[in-house]
Amino acid sequence: MGDVTISPLVLIGVGSSVACSGLFYHLYREKKRELVKLKEIPVFNPDEQLVKILKQSAQKRLHYVAVEGVVQADGEPLASKYVPKCFGVIQTLAEEEHWKYWNSLTRTWSSRKNNKRETNNSVPFSLVSPGAYMTDVRVKVKSPMEASGGFLERVHHKVRHTKGSLVNLLLQGLASETPVSLEESEEMLRVGSMLTGFGEVVLEGETVMRLQAPLDGRMYALVPSDYRSFMDRHESTASMWKMLTVASAATAATLLAGIFSNMFGGQDRRSK
């Protein structure tokens, strides 16, 4: 048995597979715990049923729920700067210059970004039930920019290369740095898009409710999809970590089986 040599690469493979299996299993358990907590959150549509529940609740509020609805501007929506007939309730415009500069140490041209300019615009908006655009029942979304969730959609992105006269190009060529292009982008929360909000809901009037950050410190989030799609993504992530755990464990077991087979197989051959 002592004469059997085991490749260091095989040992590294075993150790790596075991370590990855442990890491993936930890991530799987964490995601499953998160899913359990998410499934405990009540889910509502912004409709008469939610109004009725709020009127019957203490202080006319629900401390932490999910509300699934369609985005509707409370007044005039924002028009996209770049996309025709595209309207939203939140808009982020960004411009950033790309420059190249001469690195005297490496004697090469390098690139960097400079002078980023960003403008944020928003108008009040609410969530309404799908198909119920002419209803007074709605959930107003308070302070949406304080919410997490990555709910803005990129509607425009373009890199415009800098152009200039021959004289300017010659002068820039003699300089140590020069502009190359301008990157512009626009992100919006569009009117008519599906949104699921997680937070506290308060009855504000007879048919008007308000979604706001929870007073108990729990996460205030706006998710750009319906609730079922949101949960399906979490389920898919949990399944991915589970499959990676099994695959890593199987790889480690296969490598270990090969090591033991070589060890004991070599011993049997010597005994004969």
Side-chain angles (χ1 to χ4, degrees), residues 71-80 86-91 122-125 188-192:
V71 174
Q72 183 182 73
D74 292 341
E76 192 70 22
L78 300 167
S80 169
C86 179
F87 300 95
V89 293
I90 299 177
Q91 177 189 54
S122 64
V123 296
F125 71 96
M188 300 187 79
L189 176 56
R190 295 204 286 180
V191 170

Side-chain angles (χ1 to χ4, degrees), residues 27 47 72 75 82 86 103 117 132 151-152 164 167 179 228 247-248 252:
L27 294 172
D47 54 19
Q72 183 182 73
Y82 302 102
C86 179
N103 190 324
R117 297 176 294 276
F151 50 87
L152 295 182
V167 174
R228 186 64 262 166
S248 299

Side-chain angles (χ1 to χ4, degrees), residues 223-242:
V223 180
S225 71
D226 59 85
Y227 178 79
R228 186 64 262 166
S229 298
F230 171 73
M231 293 299 295
D232 286 344
R233 288 196 297 272
H234 280 272
E235 293 280 4
S236 296
T237 302
S239 297
M240 178 190 70
W241 292 132
K242 183 178 181 180

Side-chain angles (χ1 to χ4, degrees), residues 6-242:
I6 302 173
S7 170
L9 291 176
V10 174
L11 294 177
I12 292 173
V14 172
S16 300
S17 298
V18 171
C20 288
S21 178
L23 173 62
F24 295 147
Y25 182 69
H26 170 74
L27 294 172
Y28 167 70
R29 290 291 301 273
E30 288 294 314
K31 180 57 67 174
K32 290 296 288 185
R33 278 194 285 265
E34 184 180 356
L35 277 167
V36 170
K37 292 181 180 179
L38 286 172
K39 289 177 180 179
E40 293 173 351
I41 301 172
V43 184
F44 298 99
N45 290 116
D47 54 19
E48 293 283 359
Q49 180 66 21
L50 180 55
V51 173
K52 182 179 178 181
I53 292 172
L54 281 167
K55 286 181 178 179
Q56 296 173 349
S57 63
Q59 301 178 332
K60 293 182 171 54
R61 70 177 62 213
L62 297 175
H63 292 288
Y64 201 76
V65 298
V67 180
E68 174 189 272
V70 175
V71 174
Q72 183 182 73
D74 292 341
E76 192 70 22
L78 300 167
S80 169
K81 180 179 178 180
Y82 302 102
V83 184
K85 298 181 181 180
C86 179
F87 300 95
V89 293
I90 299 177
Q91 177 189 54
T92 297
L93 297 165
E95 289 185 348
E96 192 169 28
E97 296 176 358
H98 292 245
W99 286 63
K100 66 177 182 179
Y101 66 96
W102 180 254
N103 190 324
S104 58
L105 295 176
T106 61
R107 301 191 65 79
T108 58
W109 286 98
S110 302
S111 61
R112 65 181 173 86
K113 296 181 179 181
N114 195 23
N115 299 328
K116 183 173 183 178
R117 297 176 294 276
E118 186 172 289
T119 304
N120 296 299
N121 304 309
S122 64
V123 296
F125 71 96
S126 301
L127 299 179
V128 299
S129 290
Y133 295 101
M134 301 300 293
T135 178
D136 292 331
V137 181
R138 66 186 190 275
V139 175
K140 296 165 62 176
V141 180
K142 182 181 179 181
S143 305
M145 298 307 291
E146 295 179 4
S148 61
F151 50 87
L152 295 182
E153 173 190 356
R154 177 185 280 184
V155 297
H156 173 79
H157 179 260
K158 190 171 185 177
V159 177
R160 301 183 183 275
H161 295 282
T162 303
K163 296 180 180 180
S165 65
L166 180 59
V167 174
N168 287 336
L169 291 173
L170 289 173
L171 290 175
Q172 290 172 1
L174 296 174
S176 60
E177 59 180 354
T178 180
V180 176
S181 61
L182 178 66
E183 181 180 5
E184 58 187 27
S185 64
E186 181 180 24
E187 295 181 330
M188 300 187 79
L189 176 56
R190 295 204 286 180
V191 170
S193 59
M194 184 64 70
L195 193 72
T196 302
F198 291 84
E200 182 179 76
V201 175
V202 182
L203 186 65
E204 200 172 85
E206 282 299 315
T207 58
V208 179
M209 299 157 279
R210 183 176 71 249
L211 176 69
Q212 62 188 22
L215 298 178
D216 59 8
R218 280 188 280 186
M219 182 179 64
Y220 181 36
L222 299 175
V223 180
S225 71
D226 59 85
Y227 178 79
R228 186 64 262 166
S229 298
F230 171 73
M231 293 299 295
D232 286 344
R233 288 196 297 272
H234 280 272
E235 293 280 4
S236 296
T237 302
S239 297
M240 178 190 70
W241 292 132
K242 183 178 181 180

